[in-house]
Every structure is written in C-alpha cells, then in structure tokens.
C-alpha cells in the first residue's frame, strides 16, 4: 500500500460532497473514477470535469464513499470487497458504518471521515472544488486502522484544503450530536411553531427567528437518516435539553427571576464557547446598523466604504423591511472600530442606526 496519494481516486456517489471531492482531486491532477446508481448524476459529474465512469479493470488507490446514511455500511463493505484500496466515507455519523463493516477482512483499510461543509443545494450541479476550503474535516480512525490508510485519508483532506480534526468514531458522534444534530432538531421544533401562526404574527418576524430556524429548512428525508443513525448520542443530549426546558418552564411559572437568569447565563456561556474567527478566541464585536435600499450594487458600495474606512467586516446580517424595499444591514466589526466605522459611514451619507 503506497503511503502517498497519487490516485486513482474513486468517488462512489456523485452528489454535492462526492462531486466536490472529485473536482478537488481533478484540480490537483489526480485521476478520478466515478460510480453512481444514478446515470443522470454520473453523466452530469463527468460533464463537469469531475472524472470518468469507473471501468471493471480500474484499480483505485483510494475510494471515497459519499452515499446517503442508510446505505453507507453496505457501500463501504462493497468497496472493501471490490479492491485492495483504502476506503473512507464522508457520512455524518461514524460509529454505525464502522459497526457494519467491523467483521470485514479488509477493515484495516477503512478510515471514516466527515467534512464539515455543505450547502442548502444538493446534487452534482451544486458542487465546487473549493467547497472544503478552510473547513474542519473529521478523520476518525478505529483502533485497528492501518496507519498508512489514515495518512492517505489525511492527504485527501489536505488536497481539498480542509483542516484535519482527528477524533475517535464515538467522540465524533457525540460531538456532532452537540454541535449539529440536536441544534437542528431544536430549530425544527421552534420553526414548527411558526407553521400555523396567524399571518399578522409572522409580520413581526425579525433576524432573530431567522437565525434560530435557518437550519430547519434542510431536507427532512436526509436529516431523518442522519439523526436516526446517531440516535444514542442524540437522545442523551435531547434528554438534557428537556431537563433544561422543564427548569425554564418552572422558573417562569414560579416567577423565579434568579433561576431564569442562571439558565440565560448558561446560554451566554455557550455562545462564548464557540470558537472565533480562524479557530481563535472569541473577540468582542460591535454591531453597526445601516439602512440600505434593495438595489443592485448597494452592498458592494457599503463594503467598499468600510474598506475605505480601514475597517474589516467580520460578519454581516441583513434584516429586510416587510413594508418597503429596504434592508437593515448589521455589520459586525472589532469592538474598537465600531464608533470609527459609524462616523465614517455617516460622513459618506449612509443612514446608520445607533
């Protein structure tokens, strides 16, 4: 088994992730073989330059399995049987697929992985070679994994310009339950309270409710597969969330302001625990609010004005006016630069809100 990734790389499943990985490999000059049950997806990915359909006599060095969660175990086992290649997958849950292939003779050649990247779109037409740029990519070797296989998978991550985060399969599943799966389920419950709300209530919707419910718009079929595959970790954490919700209901019912404050403070602590820019510590930010008309080129001019003020925009949010073609843009900047940016924008004629 070669310890250098030279190809060919076979990608099984030419959806968003699979085709994006294939495009990144082609960008690096590697030969890519494509496999998919969908002839249409296979034709589309090939036409995009992601590779060519695999032929019976092809011998891949590395196989990347990128199929829906319900089919991962079988597809990984098939890949291990088909050749002596190293096999990885990009599924959102790692313990289940490993358990499914634990008894396979070639299991030492299997190393799970999970890129923390995606899009609200799906399919090969949504793919991009730079989808993984700077994104964390979990690599989850099991206890018996061949070190050469682990190194090969980590070379794939580097080739895609992503950042390796090495975890055990079990720790990975507990981590994604906490940072992805349970937040999605809670967002779905909150969003569900809006589905039958009176229209007049919904006119009061602001950026806060959009922030909380955005991920709830994801595919129920796909996400149902994902959370079901990680049910043990998800149920444990949902039980903790339920206990917190019970405590909040009790505090409100009993007018216990101190108890409520404890719960709200805990939420603030959680937001501070999320890594900041480039994985560094969270820095204090200032919000600068600017009214802008909903017209082409306005945001470009606003960003250019911030650049002329020599202020770096760390993040941006837009809240749209329900009654007018106007948006309220929130520019998040370093706390020490907030007042300077406000004054600079106002001097250039922008309408700001303090």
């Amino acid at each position: 088994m070669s310890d250098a990734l030279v190809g060919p790389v076979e990608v099984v499943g030419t959806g968003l992730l699979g085709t994006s990985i294939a495009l990144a490999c082609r960008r690096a000059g590697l030969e890519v073989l494509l496999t998919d049950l969908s002839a249409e997806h296979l034709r589309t990915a090939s036409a995009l330059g992601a590779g060519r359909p695999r032929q019976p006599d092809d011998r891949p060095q590395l196989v990347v399995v990128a199929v829906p969660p319900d089919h991962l175990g079988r597809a990984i086992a098939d890949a291990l049987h088909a050749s002596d290649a190293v096999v990885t997958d990009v599924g959102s849950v790692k313990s289940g697929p490993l358990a499914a292939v634990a008894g396979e003779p070639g299991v030492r050649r299997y190393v799970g992985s999970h890129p923390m990247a995606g899009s609200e779109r799906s399919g090969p037409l949504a793919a991009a070679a730079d989808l993984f740029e700077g994104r964390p990519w979990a690599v989850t070797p099991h206890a018996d994994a061949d070190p050469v296989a682990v190194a090969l998978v980590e070379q794939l991550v580097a080739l895609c310009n992503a950042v390796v985060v090495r975890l055990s399969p079990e720790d990975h599943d507990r981590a994604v339950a906490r940072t992805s799966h349970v937040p999605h389920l809670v967002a779905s419950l909150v969003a569900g309270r809006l589905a039958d709300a009176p229209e007049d209530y919904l006119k009061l919707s602001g950026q806060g409710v959009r922030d909380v419910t955005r991920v709830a718009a994801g595919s129920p079929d796909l996400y149902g597969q994902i959370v079901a595959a990680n049910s043990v970790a998800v149920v444990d954490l949902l039980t903790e969330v339920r206990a917190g919700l019970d405590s909040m209901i009790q505090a409100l019912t009993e007018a216990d302001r101190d108890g409520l404050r404890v719960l709200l403070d805990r939420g603030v602590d959680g937001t501070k625990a999320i890594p900041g820019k480039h994985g560094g510590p969270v820095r204090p930010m200032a919000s600068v609010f600017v009214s802008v008309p909903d017209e082409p080129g306005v945001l470009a001019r606003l960003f250019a004005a911030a650049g002329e003020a020599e202020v770096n925009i760390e993040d941006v949010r837009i809240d749209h006016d329900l009654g007018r073609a106007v948006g309220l843009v929130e520019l998040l900047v370093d706390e020490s630069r907030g007042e300077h940016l406000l004054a600079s924008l106002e001097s250039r004629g922008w309408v700001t809100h303090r």
Side-chain angles (χ1 to χ4, degrees), residues 93-107:
V93 179
K94 306 282 42 120
S95 299
L98 175 59
V101 300
E104 297 292 340
V107 70

Side-chain angles (χ1 to χ4, degrees), residues 43-162:
R43 284 193 300 269
T44 301
S46 299
L48 291 170
R52 63 170 176 82
R54 181 183 175 174
Q55 302 301 315
D57 58 347
D58 285 323
R59 292 294 178 265
Q61 179 194 22
L62 173 66
V63 178
V64 181
V65 178
V67 302
D70 282 355
H71 306 287
L72 267 177
R74 182 70 265 161
I76 294 167
D78 288 346
L80 289 171
H81 294 161
S83 73
D84 60 357
V86 170
V87 178
T88 189
D89 74 289
V90 293
S92 301
V93 179
K94 306 282 42 120
S95 299
L98 175 59
V101 300
E104 297 292 340
V107 70
R108 281 176 51 80
R109 293 184 279 114
Y110 167 64
V111 178
S113 75
H114 178 205
M116 303 302 292
S119 168
E120 68 280 1
R121 300 169 60 208
S122 61
L125 287 175
D130 61 357
L131 181 67
F132 311 103
E133 299 273 348
R135 303 298 301 164
W137 188 319
V139 176
T140 61
H142 55 90
D144 296 324
D146 189 319
V148 175
V150 178
L152 212 63
V153 173
E154 292 187 343
Q155 287 179 61
L156 174 69
V157 176
L159 178 150
C160 291
N161 292 329

Side-chain angles (χ1 to χ4, degrees), residues 3-338:
D3 58 0
L5 182 58
V6 294
V9 173
E10 180 185 2
V11 174
V12 180
T14 52
L16 169 66
L17 293 182
T19 304
S20 294
I21 291 169
L23 289 169
C25 289
R26 291 294 301 129
R27 179 182 61 185
L30 298 184
E31 182 181 10
V32 177
L33 316 172
L34 303 175
T35 301
D36 201 308
L37 293 177
S38 169
E40 181 182 354
H41 277 191
L42 192 58
R43 284 193 300 269
T44 301
S46 299
L48 291 170
R52 63 170 176 82
R54 181 183 175 174
Q55 302 301 315
D57 58 347
D58 285 323
R59 292 294 178 265
Q61 179 194 22
L62 173 66
V63 178
V64 181
V65 178
V67 302
D70 282 355
H71 306 287
L72 267 177
R74 182 70 265 161
I76 294 167
D78 288 346
L80 289 171
H81 294 161
S83 73
D84 60 357
V86 170
V87 178
T88 189
D89 74 289
V90 293
S92 301
V93 179
K94 306 282 42 120
S95 299
L98 175 59
V101 300
E104 297 292 340
V107 70
R108 281 176 51 80
R109 293 184 279 114
Y110 167 64
V111 178
S113 75
H114 178 205
M116 303 302 292
S119 168
E120 68 280 1
R121 300 169 60 208
S122 61
L125 287 175
D130 61 357
L131 181 67
F132 311 103
E133 299 273 348
R135 303 298 301 164
W137 188 319
V139 176
T140 61
H142 55 90
D144 296 324
D146 189 319
V148 175
V150 178
L152 212 63
V153 173
E154 292 187 343
Q155 287 179 61
L156 174 69
V157 176
L159 178 150
C160 291
N161 292 329
V163 179
V164 171
V165 179
R166 194 185 284 200
L167 296 167
S168 71
E170 297 77 17
D171 280 342
H172 167 274
D173 291 354
R174 285 189 286 265
V176 293
R178 193 172 295 265
T179 62
S180 177
H181 300 170
V182 167
H184 188 116
L185 293 175
V186 173
S188 295
L189 292 176
V190 174
R193 299 303 89 213
L194 303 175
D196 300 320
E199 185 177 348
D200 285 348
Y201 291 12
L202 297 175
K203 289 179 180 178
L204 299 180
S205 300
Q207 191 59 43
V209 73
R210 293 187 181 93
D211 287 345
V212 170
T213 60
R214 180 183 60 81
V215 296
S219 166
D221 289 338
L222 177 59
Y223 222 80
Q225 291 184 42
I226 291 171
V227 296
N230 198 23
S231 61
V232 173
V234 168
V235 168
D236 284 348
L237 199 56
L238 280 176
T239 302
E240 294 179 16
V241 172
R242 181 174 63 186
L245 185 58
D246 287 341
S247 296
M248 187 166 286
I249 291 171
Q250 181 178 357
L252 288 168
T253 301
E254 298 176 357
D256 179 4
R257 297 287 288 273
D258 290 338
L260 181 61
R261 178 60 184 265
V262 168
L263 294 168
L264 295 175
D265 281 342
R266 183 65 173 166
V268 172
D269 291 342
T271 64
K272 292 178 180 178
I274 299 171
K277 188 175 180 180
H278 308 310
V282 177
R283 304 200 318 271
M285 293 290 156
S287 292
V288 174
F289 295 93
V290 187
S291 290
V292 299
D294 190 5
E295 299 172 355
V298 173
L299 286 178
R301 294 199 298 273
L302 177 59
F303 294 158
E308 291 167 4
E310 298 184 341
V311 176
N312 187 47
I313 297 173
E314 305 290 343
D315 204 349
V316 61
R317 302 175 185 137
I318 304 175
D319 195 8
H320 297 282
D321 194 315
L322 290 178
R324 301 176 300 153
V326 174
L328 185 65
V329 177
E330 180 184 4
L331 302 177
L332 276 79
V333 301
D334 189 275
E335 188 176 56
S336 65
R337 304 292 284 162

